[in-house]
Amino acid sequence: MVAAVLDALDEARSPAKVEARHLPVLRHLEAVELCGDAAVDAVMEEFLSLAPALPWIQTAGYRGVLSQDFHDNYGYVQLIGPTSIVEHRSVRVGIGVWGPNLHYPSHHHEAEELYHVLAGEPTFTSADGAPRTAQPGDAVHHAPWQPHQQDFGATPTVLLYCWTGEVVTDAALVDGGC
Ligand SMILES: [Fe+2]
């Protein structure tokens, strides 16, 4: 999975123009805490400097299903993938932000997923595992169609996500979420 992502990153080229699109979640970036790990913080600092110029989006299928509060407190930038800054049909790479104490209900997707925690203390719960609180620098893996939910900590969470396989279809809530 990681090899496919690295190949996509190698092939990625910057587009001529990127149009910014802002979401309410951007207000949380001021409170993002750097973790002290030089490698993680280097990515975070670059992302924070670029964030206002990037096209922030949300999952279309969640509109009208998840609450307005949820929508006011999350968003992501899809760097590589279908209809992304850099087009790719079998790899998605992006960075998402979730506000403090938000609950992301159980969801799943056909794509295989690897999260890298860049900031915050999110707790991940999979249908087949105990809750696990992750720290910046940790990686969290989900197999295709493995249901998972997240509970975000007291400070804003920033996650880098990678998807491989069937990446065209967005995540969907499991049984309406819980
Ligand atoms: Fe996921």
Side-chain angles (χ1 to χ4, degrees), residues 107 109 113 115 142 148 163:
H107 55 284
H109 38 77
E113 176 177 70
Y115 275 120
H142 297 121
H148 47 285
W163 279 16

Coordinates of all heavy atoms in Angstrom, one line a residue, residues 107 109 113 115 142 148 163, ligand 1:
H107 N -18.0 4.7 10.1 CA -18.0 4.8 8.7 C -17.1 3.7 8.1 O -16.3 3.1 8.8 CB -17.7 6.2 8.2 CG -16.3 6.6 8.7 ND1 -16.1 7.1 10.0 CD2 -15.1 6.7 8.1 CE1 -14.9 7.4 10.2 NE2 -14.2 7.2 9.0
H109 N -15.3 2.3 3.9 CA -15.0 2.5 2.5 C -14.3 1.3 2.0 O -13.6 0.6 2.7 CB -14.2 3.8 2.4 CG -13.2 4.0 3.4 ND1 -12.0 3.4 3.4 CD2 -13.2 4.8 4.5 CE1 -11.3 3.7 4.5 NE2 -12.0 4.6 5.2
E113 N -6.8 2.1 4.0 CA -6.5 3.4 4.5 C -5.4 3.4 5.5 O -5.3 2.5 6.4 CB -7.8 3.9 5.2 CG -7.6 5.3 5.9 CD -8.9 5.8 6.5 OE1 -9.4 5.2 7.5 OE2 -9.5 6.7 5.9
Y115 N -3.8 6.2 8.2 CA -3.8 7.6 8.7 C -2.4 7.8 9.4 O -1.9 6.9 10.0 CB -4.8 7.7 9.8 CG -6.2 8.1 9.4 CD1 -7.3 7.2 9.7 CD2 -6.5 9.3 8.8 CE1 -8.6 7.5 9.4 CE2 -7.8 9.6 8.5 CZ -8.9 8.7 8.8 OH -10.1 9.1 8.5
H142 N -6.6 0.9 8.4 CA -7.9 0.3 8.2 C -8.0 -0.5 6.9 O -7.7 0.0 5.9 CB -9.0 1.3 8.2 CG -9.1 2.1 9.5 ND1 -9.0 3.5 9.6 CD2 -9.3 1.7 10.8 CE1 -9.1 3.9 10.8 NE2 -9.3 2.8 11.6
H148 N -15.0 2.0 11.2 CA -14.2 2.7 12.2 C -14.8 4.0 12.6 O -15.5 4.6 11.7 CB -12.7 2.9 11.8 CG -12.6 3.5 10.4 ND1 -12.8 2.7 9.2 CD2 -12.2 4.7 9.9 CE1 -12.6 3.4 8.2 NE2 -12.2 4.7 8.5
W163 N -5.2 6.6 0.8 CA -6.1 5.5 0.4 C -5.5 4.9 -0.8 O -4.9 5.6 -1.7 CB -7.5 6.1 0.0 CG -8.4 6.4 1.1 CD1 -8.2 6.5 2.4 CD2 -9.9 6.6 0.9 NE1 -9.4 6.8 3.1 CE2 -10.4 6.8 2.2 CE3 -10.7 6.6 -0.2 CZ2 -11.8 7.1 2.4 CZ3 -12.0 6.9 0.0 CH2 -12.6 7.1 1.3
Ligands
FE1 FE -11.5 5.9 6.9

